[in-house]
Each structure stands twice: as structure tokens, then as C-alpha cells.
Amino acid sequence: MTNINTSDYELLQRVLKRDSKALEALYDKYSPLLYTLIKRIVKDEKLAEEVLADVFVIIWQKTQLYNFDYKNVFSWIVLLTKNKAVDTLRRKNNAESPEYSDQYENAFIIPTIYDYNEFGFEEAYSKSEQLKSAVSKLTEAQRYVIQLAFFEGLTESEIASKLKIPLPTVKSKIRVALNTLKEKMNSEEL
């Protein structure tokens, strides 16, 4: 039985031990948020549902790849979801994608670097309005490159090609946008 107060970390430890009720609890908690993220990236309801199912299959099969020295399950699941959705979108739009295999999934879908602080689901949810406000204060160009990079899954080179601007300009715009977001999220002016 899953207690409502069971932490994500404890649930993931139980998933590692093949506890399907723990996976179900994570699904119940995160599926609405993850579905919204996936749909924003792939822009197709049926495909978003497939990606969401794939994400939880990956969690079930690859929990051992999570670094249990850190307790930020939220960041790991969100990054895994973003990686899977972006990869799915790229594969849908590009016939020349590399073969999808266990090795590919381990290298490109499973997060290996993520924010190791204790920032979790509840804190992220509580800061959603602050983030929306910070994003709204970016310039239109900054918002657009962030959209292309994070929600459409374009590489910096692909963004440069799409916008017909030099690659260093794209890198600079993304870096400035992310720094601006960070500053605005850390400021009290929001």
C-alpha cells in the first residue's frame, strides 16, 4: 500500500525492487504534468499518450540508472520525459535518425546530469507563476529561441539554419535568455 506521504525517492526505490504499486503512484502524481510537457513538444494527443506510456516503461525498466546518491526524482523524471519527447519529435520529422536501441536510450534519453538540489514537484508547482512571469519578461527573440531549443527539440545548428543567423548568435541568444530567466527567478521583483 502506498502512503500519501511516501516520497518520490522512496517510491523510486520501491520501483527498483519491482513494486508496480509504487510505479502507479508515480504515474498518478506526475502523468498530468508530464502529458502537458510532452504535448507541448510533440503537438499531437495520440503521440503524446504514446510517449507518456514509453516514459513509464523506461522508468520501470531503467530505474537502476538513476543515481540514488541524489534524491531529486522530480528533475530526473522531467528531464527523462523531455528527452524522450524531443527524440520522438526528431524521429517523426527526420528519417535519418540513429537506430533506437538500449544503448541509444541509455546515452540520450536517460538523464545523467540533472539538478541535484532538493527542488521537487511541490516547489516547481509553487514557482510556476513566477516562471511564467519571468518568461514573459524575455524579449520575443529570447522566448523564440528557448521555444525552438527546449520545446521543439532543435539543436543550436538547426536553430541557426531555421532563423538564417550565425551559430554564435544563436548560442549567445540562448545563453542570455537562460541567464535572464535565472536572474528573474532569483529576484524579488516578480
Side-chain angles (χ1 to χ4, degrees):
M1 185 60 124
T2 302
N3 181 323
I4 194 161
N5 296 320
T6 305
S7 75
D8 294 345
Y9 183 79
E10 292 167 320
L11 289 171
L12 202 60
Q13 287 178 317
R14 288 175 41 200
V15 169
L16 184 63
K17 296 174 185 169
R18 312 315 278 164
D19 181 342
S20 61
K21 293 289 186 195
L23 182 69
E24 187 178 318
L26 286 172
Y27 182 89
D28 290 345
K29 181 175 184 178
Y30 286 113
S31 62
L33 169 76
L34 300 179
Y35 177 78
T36 301
L37 172 63
I38 295 164
K39 191 165 178 240
R40 180 154 186 193
I41 294 169
V42 301
K43 297 176 180 37
D44 176 87
E45 286 183 33
K46 185 169 175 27
L47 188 57
E49 290 169 6
E50 291 173 19
V51 172
L52 182 63
D54 289 346
V55 164
F56 281 92
V57 168
I58 292 169
I59 292 170
W60 181 252
Q61 294 175 341
K62 306 278 177 109
T63 300
Q64 76 278 7
L65 297 178
Y66 176 75
N67 185 342
F68 281 93
D69 290 340
Y70 302 98
K71 295 188 178 180
N72 196 341
V73 173
F74 172 74
S75 290
W76 187 74
I77 290 175
V78 169
L79 284 174
L80 185 153
T81 302
K82 177 194 168 283
N83 293 347
K84 181 64 179 169
V86 167
D87 184 73
T88 301
L89 181 64
R90 283 185 179 156
R91 288 175 181 285
K92 180 181 169 192
N93 295 331
N94 183 2
E96 297 179 19
S97 298
E99 178 187 351
Y100 196 96
S101 64
D102 262 356
Q103 293 78 17
Y104 178 87
E105 188 173 83
N106 294 348
F108 297 104
I109 305 301
I110 306 293
T112 54
I113 300 173
Y114 42 95
D115 186 357
Y116 294 137
N117 67 29
E118 293 300 318
F119 191 80
F121 177 75
E122 289 77 14
E123 188 174 353
Y125 184 78
S126 73
K127 291 186 180 278
S128 64
E129 289 304 315
Q130 186 180 9
L131 179 60
K132 285 179 190 174
S133 177
V135 168
S136 75
K137 292 177 181 169
L138 295 175
T139 67
E140 188 174 329
Q142 290 171 333
R143 280 194 305 272
Y144 191 55
V145 295
I146 295 293
Q147 166 78 27
L148 292 173
F150 292 95
F151 295 109
E152 294 186 27
L154 298 182
T155 65
E156 291 172 338
S157 297
E158 291 167 335
I159 294 170
S161 177
K162 180 178 179 123
L163 300 180
K164 297 176 179 36
I165 59 177
L167 181 58
T169 303
V170 170
K171 289 178 183 259
S172 174
K173 285 188 180 301
I174 291 173
R175 186 173 48 253
V176 168
L178 291 175
N179 285 338
T180 301
L181 272 178
K182 184 177 178 182
E183 288 170 15
K184 294 199 181 300
M185 288 296 292
N186 289 330
S187 76
E188 295 297 322
E189 65 185 60
L190 290 176

